[in-house]
Amino acid sequence: MVIQWYPGHMAKAKREVTEQLKKVDVIFELVDARIPFSSRNPMIDEVIQQKPRVVIFNKKDMANLKEMEKWYAFFREKGAYPVAVDAKHGKGLKNVEAAAIEATREKFEREKAKGLKPRAIRAMIVGIPNVGKSTLINKLANRSIAQTGNKPGVTKQQQWIKVGKSLQLLDTPGILWPKFEDQLIGKKLSLTGAIKDSIVHLDEVAIYGLEFLIEHDYEALLAHFKIDVPRDAEMLAWFDAIGRKRGLLQRGNEVDYEAVIEALIYDIRNAKIGTYCFDLYSEWQAETNA
């Protein structure tokens, strides 16, 4: 499965973020809690340089909390301040402001020592598209704001939005696009809905998701679809079992495999089967140290 990478978009996004850096005190890096590594832009560290960083794990309600804690520790070791939120339902948002205060504490103590007046913390959100950035901005601002300019021809005036008592958010952050050098990352992004279904081979995505569940949550997989398939069965047997149990059939009583693929991806993507982290820290660590 080959997923296109658009270097022009990446370069533009990098310029936009770089231009805004001098205006902000802290960066909010938004990631999907189910894929906290795969949903990062690979040049994020280079782009934001030494700015304090709050890493926001969105969709925490859909993630495996034990696995997420391992990634928490990973980001802490890098000097970041990780927090988890469920932006869609407005959960954990107070933790974002608290983390921003902690991340900028030294800077504001230095400003206070110089006799500068107290002011609000200025933050900017960065992240790849479709990990919930617009939803988070709207929830933090407690109102619906205009869409950020990620469409051709859209120009909007920059403005600071008040968030809580001590935080201001720049509502026109640069969008950092993913770079798909590792096709497994592409499958993870697709499975979690971060990239459009129309640009990937969904059969490969469904097989990846199914293989993950067979290995890591076999019993829950069987219980969810109310099927009985041996763990080592071929993929076709799994698709057949799911299709017949769900009644996803075509003429001649043949399984509608496209419908099975869509149903499988939908149920995994929307945490109908269970809550998962598809970025397993132990696997990432083993690959990194290899």
Side-chain angles (χ1 to χ4, degrees):
M1 180 175 67
V2 177
I3 301 175
Q4 288 295 100
W5 169 50
Y6 300 98
H9 290 164
M10 182 83 84
K12 180 183 178 183
K14 182 179 179 181
R15 286 196 306 270
E16 290 177 351
V17 172
T18 302
E19 289 170 2
Q20 305 301 338
L21 276 178
K22 59 182 178 293
K23 301 178 182 178
V24 301
D25 305 304
V26 62
I27 298 294
F28 291 166
E29 181 187 356
L30 186 62
V31 299
D32 187 321
R34 297 167 294 177
I35 48 171
F37 184 79
S38 296
S39 58
R40 302 183 75 218
N41 178 279
M43 64 169 59
I44 186 68
D45 295 332
E46 172 194 343
V47 171
I48 69 173
Q49 301 169 16
Q50 301 301 315
K51 285 283 182 180
R53 184 188 331 182
V54 174
V55 180
I56 304 173
F57 288 64
N58 191 26
K59 304 179 183 179
K60 68 172 184 175
D61 57 313
M62 305 174 80
N64 180 298
L65 298 182
K66 289 184 179 179
E67 193 67 31
M68 200 167 67
E69 275 296 328
K70 298 175 185 177
W71 287 107
Y72 258 50
F74 167 79
F75 284 111
R76 285 196 193 100
E77 288 177 5
K78 284 184 165 290
Y81 298 80
V83 297
V85 304
D86 171 7
K88 183 178 180 180
H89 301 102
K91 297 181 180 178
L93 300 184
K94 291 182 179 179
N95 296 332
V96 175
E97 185 176 354
I101 293 172
E102 183 62 27
T104 59
R105 187 180 304 280
E106 290 185 8
K107 177 177 181 177
F108 280 90
E109 286 179 351
R110 289 196 300 269
E111 290 189 1
K112 183 179 179 180
K114 293 178 181 178
L116 298 177
K117 294 181 179 180
R119 61 174 177 81
I121 300 168
R122 293 173 178 171
M124 176 175 63
I125 295 181
V126 297
I128 67 170
N130 302 321
V131 291
K133 184 162 56 62
S134 296
T135 301
L136 179 63
I137 291 173
N138 289 338
K139 288 291 185 179
L140 286 172
N142 201 26
R143 64 187 176 92
S144 182
I145 60 176
Q147 290 187 353
T148 50
N150 61 342
K151 296 180 181 179
V154 174
T155 303
K156 67 194 301 291
Q157 185 178 359
Q158 296 172 8
Q159 58 180 317
W160 293 97
I161 299 171
K162 186 176 182 181
V163 177
K165 297 179 180 180
S166 57
L167 183 63
Q168 287 184 333
L169 186 65
L170 185 64
D171 80 331
T172 56
I175 295 172
L176 297 177
W177 293 75
K179 184 177 181 181
F180 303 109
E181 289 182 336
D182 183 347
Q183 295 306 311
L184 179 58
I185 289 178
K187 293 176 184 178
K188 292 178 181 180
L189 289 167
S190 177
L191 186 62
T192 54
I195 55 178
K196 294 179 180 179
D197 290 345
S198 59
I199 67 171
V200 298
H201 298 301
L202 289 180
D203 54 342
E204 295 183 24
V205 177
I207 289 171
Y208 162 73
L210 187 55
E211 288 176 340
F212 182 93
L213 291 178
I214 292 170
E215 181 176 355
H216 299 287
D217 210 2
Y218 175 70
E219 297 298 335
L221 175 63
L222 296 180
H224 175 75
F225 287 108
K226 297 180 174 58
I227 56 177
D228 185 14
V229 182
R231 188 188 289 266
D232 59 353
E234 294 183 356
M235 286 292 106
L236 190 60
W238 283 94
F239 282 107
D240 283 340
I242 293 171
R244 296 198 178 281
K245 191 66 179 182
R246 286 281 178 94
L248 303 175
L249 306 173
Q250 298 175 318
R251 290 181 181 179
N253 203 37
E254 296 293 325
V255 172
D256 185 343
Y257 292 111
E258 286 189 10
V260 173
I261 287 168
E262 290 177 2
L264 183 59
I265 291 175
Y266 178 87
D267 286 0
I268 297 174
R269 182 179 292 170
N270 292 282
K272 302 294 185 181
I273 304 173
T275 53
Y276 306 106
C277 271
F278 300 101
D279 282 343
L280 298 175
Y281 183 75
S282 58
E283 291 183 1
W284 174 85
Q285 196 174 39
E287 292 176 5
T288 304
N289 295 331

